[in-house]
Amino acid sequence: MQNADDAGASEWSVVIGERETVVVHDGAPFSFLDVVGICSIGLTTKSQSQIGFFGVGWKSVYEVSDRPQIHSGAFHFEIAHVSMPRAIAPRANEGHANETTLVLPHHDEVDPRVLTEKALAIPAETLMTLPHLSRFSVGGVGTKGVTHVEARHGSRVSLSSASTDSVYEIAEDSVQIDGGH
């Protein structure tokens, strides 16, 4: 989700199947530098103002998959051994050209029901911490339909999901720390 927000995505979705997890977002497609960054250890192409500056979030996909696949813009590749990209064919059922699709073929020991439960536990308030994302959806094994969460940013944020409807007032103020902002 953080990488989608860093790419300026407004929507993010995940569908957890028996054999793979598919994540889609509508942010900027991968550039060559993004490919280099995602395949590198200790090297980032992100600015310090971006959530994924340290590159730790992406590495968490290896808890689920040995060979994550990325379909974004002109790039269609999988990553073997954490840092070796290999070209693959585009997905036959790929969505819009402006979407990034991550396919995570599951390890044998991954329980898709447990993974689905964890994804469904993402609090709706998470959207308030992500400046670009305004909607996310989660679907998976053992669920009836898809859970959607939507927010409208500004001074008033409304969060709507199947289980909650909340409204928050957001106040912003600059704080100077050690000569910076």
Side-chain angles (χ1 to χ4, degrees):
M1 202 180 280
Q2 78 181 29
N3 289 328
D5 191 73
D6 284 345
S10 61
E11 296 187 20
W12 178 90
S13 69
V14 61
V15 176
I16 300 159
E18 288 287 345
R19 301 168 81 69
E20 68 183 16
T21 295
V22 179
V23 180
V24 178
H25 71 73
D26 65 352
F30 267 60
S31 69
F32 176 75
L33 289 177
D34 293 327
V35 175
V36 170
I38 208 161
C39 293
S40 300
I41 299 171
L43 175 67
T44 185
T45 58
K46 296 187 178 187
S47 71
Q48 289 183 348
S49 65
Q50 291 179 294
I51 299 168
F53 176 69
F54 293 105
V56 176
W58 167 254
K59 303 305 186 241
S60 67
V61 302
Y62 294 103
E63 291 290 319
V64 176
S65 181
D66 286 329
R67 291 182 178 257
Q69 301 171 6
I70 299 172
H71 302 274
S72 184
F75 296 100
H76 302 276
F77 64 100
E78 69 178 3
I79 304 172
H81 308 292
V82 183
S83 63
M84 297 173 59
R86 184 177 74 86
I88 58 175
R91 282 177 66 89
N93 60 346
E94 194 170 350
H96 303 287
N98 61 343
E99 291 180 334
T100 293
T101 302
L102 309 174
V103 181
L104 307 174
H106 296 162
H107 297 301
D108 289 339
E109 59 274 2
V110 169
D111 183 340
R113 285 168 181 71
V114 171
L115 200 55
T116 299
E117 287 174 20
K118 288 181 180 183
L120 289 170
I122 298 170
E125 289 79 9
T126 301
L127 283 178
M128 292 172 47
T129 67
L130 302 168
H132 299 102
L133 280 177
S134 59
R135 181 173 190 224
F136 72 84
S137 60
V138 176
V141 176
T143 62
K144 293 183 173 102
V146 176
T147 298
H148 297 280
V149 177
E150 294 187 46
R152 285 158 188 73
H153 293 285
S155 62
R156 182 177 211 113
V157 176
S158 300
L159 298 178
S160 301
S161 70
S163 60
T164 61
D165 282 324
S166 305
V167 177
Y168 297 88
E169 290 289 331
I170 306 297
E172 292 186 45
D173 197 1
S174 294
V175 177
Q176 188 166 342
I177 301 172
D178 295 332
H181 287 79

